[in-house]
Amino acid sequence: NLSLCKREPEYFSPRSCKELMERYKTEEDGLYYLTSPTGVVYQTYCDMTTAGGGWTLVASVHENNLYGKCTTGDRWSSQQRGSPNVPDGDGSWSNTVTFGNAEAATSDDFKNPGYYDITAENVAVWHVPNNERVGRWKLTSFLRYHTESKFLRSYGGNLYNLFKIFPVKYNAGSCPANHGPSVPVVYDVGDASFNHKLFGPHVRGETEPGFITFRAINNERAAMAICLGVKPKGCNTEHSCIGGGGHFPEASPRQCGDFASFDWDGYGTNAGWSASKQVTGAAVLLFYR
Ligand code: G3P
Ligand code: CA
C-alpha cells in the first residue's frame, strides 16, 4: 500500500516538541526522538507542560571545571586557552557542530541539531543542579524562566541565526553600545529577586533582573552569549553571562570559560563579583518553542 508507506516516515518524524505535541497530542515531559530536515534523528527532552508545553531542549551549558580557563570541556567558549588569535573560540553558538546527549545534559555540554534547525519564537531557561538525572530535572530546578514576546522572529527563528547577527567573538563591538537584545522573561520557578541574588553584590549593582540578554560585551570587548536572567547596566558582564568568544583580555585567561568569570572573588562565595555556589554548580538548559 503506497499511500501508507508514504505516510509512515512523516508520522515518525516530528521536527520539534511543539510539533510532537500539536500533531500527536503527546502530553508527557521526557525524552523523545526528533528528526531534522536533513534526516538526522536525535533524542532530546520535551517539556510538554510549562506554559502550554511544546518546549524542545536544544542545548545545555555545563561548567565542568571553573578552574580550567578555556580548556577541555569549555565547548561554549573555547578549548584553546583564550588566545587573541582565536577571537571566536570554538564557535559553537553559530556553527552546526553537535555534542553530548540529552540524558547527560546536566553532566556535560549538550547541543543537538534542533539548536540550528528548529524555527522558534521563544526561549526557556532551566537551572538544574549538575548531575541530576532526567526524571528529576523539573523537580530539582531552582530557577526557570521563559520569554513570551516571540522575539526570535526578528532574529532568524533561533539562536544559531541570532548569533550570526550578533557574533560571540572578541572585539565584535564595545560596551554598552553593542549588546544584543535584552528580552523580558516570565518566571516559572523562582522570581526576579531570587534570580538577582544568585550573583554577587557588585554584579547586582550593575544588572537588572527579569530579562535574558544575548551577546553581551564587557569593558575589554570580550563577548558573552547569554546573561542569565539579567540585563546589563554596567560593563563587567563576565560575572553574570555565560558562553563566550575565545579571548577575555582582563587578567587573561582568568575570565575565559563557559561560565566566564563567575569565580572572580572566589568559587561560589557570592561575595563581591562572585556568583553563588548554587548557580555555579548548575547546568543551564536552553529550550525553544
Ligand atoms: O569585573 C571586575 C573587575 O573588572 C574589577 O575587579 O577585583 O578590581 O574589583 P576588582
Ligand atoms: Ca571586569
Side-chain angles (χ1 to χ4, degrees):
N1 186 325
L2 246 180
S3 66
L4 246 183
C5 289
K6 275 177 78 180
R7 279 221 312 275
E8 250 177 16
E10 193 199 348
Y11 184 84
F12 289 110
S13 305
R15 193 166 163 185
S16 67
C17 298
K18 182 168 182 262
E19 194 181 310
L20 190 61
M21 190 185 76
E22 287 174 350
R23 290 172 71 171
Y24 310 115
K25 310 288 171 226
T26 309
E27 289 176 345
E28 273 181 42
D29 299 338
L31 297 180
Y32 292 92
Y33 284 100
L34 302 177
T35 305
S36 83
T38 53
V40 180
V41 177
Y42 62 99
Q43 192 179 37
T44 197
Y45 183 89
C46 295
D47 172 4
M48 298 305 212
T49 45
T50 302
W55 298 94
T56 308
L57 176 68
V58 298
S60 78
V61 183
H62 167 263
E63 181 52 74
N64 66 316
N65 173 18
L66 202 43
Y67 299 101
K69 304 298 178 184
C70 280
T71 52
T72 306
D74 284 330
R75 293 184 194 81
W76 292 108
S77 47
S78 175
Q79 303 182 99
Q80 303 174 79
R81 297 255 168 217
S83 157
N85 298 325
V86 195
D88 52 357
D90 282 20
S92 301
W93 295 103
S94 53
N95 67 24
T96 56
V97 175
T98 55
F99 40 78
N101 63 76
E103 199 167 28
T106 61
S107 301
D108 202 354
D109 292 331
F110 177 43
K111 181 185 172 196
N112 64 43
Y115 176 84
Y116 52 82
D117 269 333
I118 292 174
T119 302
E121 296 174 328
N122 287 299
V123 300
V125 177
W126 293 17
H127 293 259
V128 183
N130 285 343
N131 302 316
E132 283 292 354
R133 301 292 298 269
V134 179
R136 284 170 46 85
W137 289 353
K138 207 163 213 175
L139 184 76
T140 58
S141 59
F142 53 89
L143 182 65
R144 297 205 271 123
Y145 42 88
H146 68 270
T147 68
E148 291 194 335
S149 67
K150 306 184 177 178
F151 76 102
L152 282 174
R153 283 184 176 181
S154 312
Y155 302 102
N158 56 44
L159 294 180
Y160 170 83
N161 288 324
L162 183 149
F163 289 124
K164 295 269 183 214
I165 305 167
F166 298 99
V168 186
K169 182 176 181 173
Y170 165 63
N171 214 12
S174 64
C175 179
N178 301 122
H179 294 321
S182 285
V183 185
V185 294
V186 172
Y187 288 89
D188 300 299
V189 172
D191 56 28
S193 153
F194 172 74
N195 187 158
H196 218 196
K197 287 181 191 133
L198 296 172
F199 301 109
H202 297 357
V203 184
R204 298 201 285 273
E206 48 172 71
T207 54
E208 184 184 345
F211 297 85
I212 183 168
T213 301
F214 300 94
R215 212 290 295 272
I217 305 226
N218 75 4
N219 279 316
E220 296 80 21
R221 302 174 76 91
M224 283 132 271
I226 297 179
C227 305
L228 300 174
V230 298
K231 171 158 83 175
K233 291 190 289 183
C235 292
N236 294 291
T237 56
E238 64 272 18
H239 310 293
S240 57
C241 310
I242 61 168
H247 183 52
F248 286 68
E250 187 174 20
S252 176
R254 252 190 84 191
Q255 301 189 333
C256 204
D258 283 0
F259 277 13
S261 191
F262 280 32
D263 60 345
W264 185 259
D265 286 311
Y267 182 99
T269 60
N270 215 7
W273 296 100
S274 278
S276 71
K277 208 163 264 170
Q278 189 176 34
V279 77
T280 306
V284 176
L285 274 50
L286 300 173
F287 295 78
Y288 290 164
R289 182 175 70 184

